[in-house]
């Protein structure tokens, strides 16, 4: 059905994106409507003060139209990608895995910056992370991506983890060793933590965290630190599952804030 819709309305277009959103990610107040319901009626329902937060209109041909009172969190998107077009103008659809039934194992390894495969995975994941709204929403300079692995290799206290699913790059952590003056022990700070959209909600982040915790304990670290945007709800949820919490000394003084000054 998706292929049929693409051929009918977007034939030859080179910027068509495809996403998959699990039904569980829809707002709690969601109404499912039959195809006989008019588009205008669905729009009126979500616009009403006491109406549903979303309406899913199911058409007889299997197509579904989604009407929302407010945008969904970007983190609810499981798959995202621009569909390539073949020589005849037909869209080539990727083989997205079924998250509910997939049993492919998540593997995590220490990244070797001098390994060409690892370096390519680093560039791929970091580039997509930068273009994600939670990564800034802007593409990185290709020259920056090209030299990044070699520059990281020059830093003795740099540590990166690479996660894969079924042999395909899935997640990345770029970390740096630090030191706690209060504990007089080393610590590890997670500078980047990214999972490709197609592999989200499959335990990739948790697997990388577990691997990093083993490394941290082996190095005698007192803690692992990270920064997260207030609005990045999916990431905050994953970090809480791994035992992270907001940093504070005295509750009356509030949580610590991460500031910067660009040079």
């Amino acid at each position: 059905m998706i292929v049929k819709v693409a051929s009918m309305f977007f034939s030859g277009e080179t910027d068509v994106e495809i996403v998959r959103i699990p039904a569980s990610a829809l707002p709690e107040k969601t109404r499912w409507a039959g195809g006989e319901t008019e588009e205008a009626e669905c729009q009126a329902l979500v616009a009403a003060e006491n109406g549903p937060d979303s309406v899913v209109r199911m058409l007889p041909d299997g197509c579904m139209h989604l009407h929302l009172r407010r945008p969904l969190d970007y983190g609810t998107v499981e798959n995202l990608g621009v569909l390539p077009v073949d020589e005849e103008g037909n869209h080539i659809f990727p083989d997205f895995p079924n998250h509910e039934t997939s049993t492919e194992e998540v593997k995590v390894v220490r990244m070797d910056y001098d390994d060409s495969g690892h370096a390519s995975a680093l560039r791929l994941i970091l580039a997509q992370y930068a273009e994600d709204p939670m990564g800034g929403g802007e593409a990185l300079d290709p020259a920056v991506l090209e030299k990044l692995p070699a520059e990281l290799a020059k830093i003795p206290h740099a540590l990166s983890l690479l996660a894969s699913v079924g042999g395909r790059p899935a997640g990345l952590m770029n970390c740096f060793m630090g030191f706690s003056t209060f504990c007089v022990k080393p610590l590890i700070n997670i500078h980047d933590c990214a999972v490709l959209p197609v592999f989200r909600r499959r335990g990739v982040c948790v697997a990388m965290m577990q691997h990093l915790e083993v490394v941290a304990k082996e190095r005698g670290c007192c803690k692992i630190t990270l920064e997260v945007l207030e609005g990045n709800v999916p990431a905050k949820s994953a970090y809480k599952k791994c035992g992270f919490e907001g940093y504070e000394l005295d509750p009356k003084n509030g949580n610590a804030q991460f500031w910067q000054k660009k040079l």
Side-chain angles (χ1 to χ4, degrees):
M1 177 50 59
I2 296 177
V3 176
K4 179 180 179 181
V5 171
S7 64
M8 290 175 60
F9 299 102
F10 307 107
S11 180
E13 297 291 337
T14 58
D15 60 351
V16 175
E17 294 187 357
I18 183 170
V19 300
R20 181 169 69 180
I21 303 173
S24 59
L26 294 175
E28 186 174 346
K29 293 174 61 179
T30 294
R31 180 177 299 181
W32 297 78
E36 69 278 359
T37 307
E38 297 293 335
E39 290 280 315
E41 184 179 349
C42 294
Q43 294 170 359
L45 284 171
V46 296
E49 182 176 351
N50 297 318
D53 291 327
S54 68
V55 175
V56 181
R57 179 172 176 246
M58 299 175 288
L59 302 181
D61 60 5
C63 185
M64 291 192 295
H65 291 189
L66 178 60
H67 301 265
L68 295 163
R69 181 184 297 272
R70 61 186 63 85
L72 289 174
D73 288 336
Y74 186 83
T76 62
V77 177
E78 290 190 348
N79 303 301
L80 173 61
V82 177
L83 296 177
V85 179
D86 63 21
E87 295 179 354
E88 298 179 357
N90 298 314
H91 291 100
I92 303 173
F93 284 78
D95 182 20
F96 288 139
N98 187 324
H99 290 203
E100 289 72 31
T101 60
S102 176
T103 58
E104 292 178 305
E105 181 183 0
V106 179
K107 295 183 179 181
V108 181
V109 297
R110 170 81 179 271
M111 182 173 293
D112 179 355
Y113 300 123
D114 295 322
D115 183 285
S116 59
H118 286 191
S120 295
L122 168 62
R123 297 187 185 102
L124 168 70
I125 299 173
L126 199 66
Q128 292 204 29
Y129 172 51
E131 295 182 17
D132 187 297
M134 294 304 169
E138 295 183 2
L140 290 176
D141 185 337
V144 170
L145 289 171
E146 180 61 31
K147 67 181 182 180
L148 180 59
E151 292 301 314
L152 284 172
K154 297 177 183 178
I155 305 174
H157 56 279
L159 163 68
S160 297
L161 302 180
L162 176 63
S164 62
V165 177
R168 295 165 291 176
L172 166 73
M173 272 189 182
N174 289 322
C175 311
F176 297 92
M177 296 295 299
F179 189 81
S180 170
T181 54
F182 281 22
C183 297
V184 197
K185 288 185 177 182
L187 60 82
I188 292 180
N189 175 257
I190 302 173
H191 186 72
D192 301 308
C193 179
V195 178
L196 293 178
V198 70
F199 295 111
R200 289 174 184 169
R201 293 180 178 82
R202 299 182 66 177
V204 175
C205 179
V206 173
M208 291 192 293
M209 286 292 189
Q210 291 174 340
H211 189 106
L212 184 63
E213 187 169 335
V214 171
V215 174
K217 289 179 178 178
E218 290 176 347
R219 297 188 178 191
C221 295
C222 61
K223 61 182 176 180
I224 300 172
T225 63
L226 56 79
E227 300 85 41
V228 61
L229 295 176
E230 285 184 334
N232 196 345
V233 177
K236 289 166 68 175
S237 177
Y239 298 154
K240 287 179 179 178
K241 289 179 181 178
C242 295
F244 286 84
E245 57 185 3
Y247 176 77
E248 63 180 20
L249 296 175
D250 187 329
K252 69 180 181 182
N253 293 325
N255 287 349
Q257 297 181 350
F258 181 73
W259 288 20
Q260 69 173 2
K261 178 182 178 179
K262 293 187 177 182
L263 303 176

